[in-house]
Amino acid sequence: AGMEPQLVVAQGGSDANIFNRRGLESVVLGCGMYGAHGNNERANLADMKNCAEVLMHLITDSRVSLRGKAGE
């Protein structure tokens, strides 16, 4: 999708925390949310579009396996 992954530490919880703790490697993809769950919550449509493109790439690229290793 032409983007480089970026590791970011964020406050809050996600199901990925539970999955990782139980041995199922998981990540969270940001989708353009700012001020989540607050009075000023908003979304950036360009970020959401980029996230959708990354997801489509992951779903359709035959080199990406469910285990995340290319060529399996």
Side-chain angles (χ1 to χ4, degrees):
M3 299 173 62
E4 291 294 322
Q6 180 181 9
L7 178 63
V8 176
V9 176
Q11 299 296 320
S14 76
D15 293 339
N17 294 332
I18 297 167
F19 298 148
N20 282 310
R21 188 172 31 242
R22 294 184 179 175
L24 180 60
E25 293 181 7
S26 304
V27 298
V28 175
L29 297 177
C31 61
M33 293 174 29
Y34 300 91
H37 311 302
N39 292 335
N40 295 315
E41 180 175 353
R42 62 192 190 282
N44 181 301
L45 294 179
D47 288 348
M48 292 180 80
K49 179 180 178 285
N50 288 337
C51 186
E53 289 174 356
V54 168
L55 287 171
M56 287 304 297
H57 174 75
L58 291 172
I59 292 167
T60 60
D61 189 336
S62 63
R63 296 171 296 170
V64 179
S65 77
L66 292 176
R67 295 195 178 266
K69 296 179 182 173
E72 284 190 350

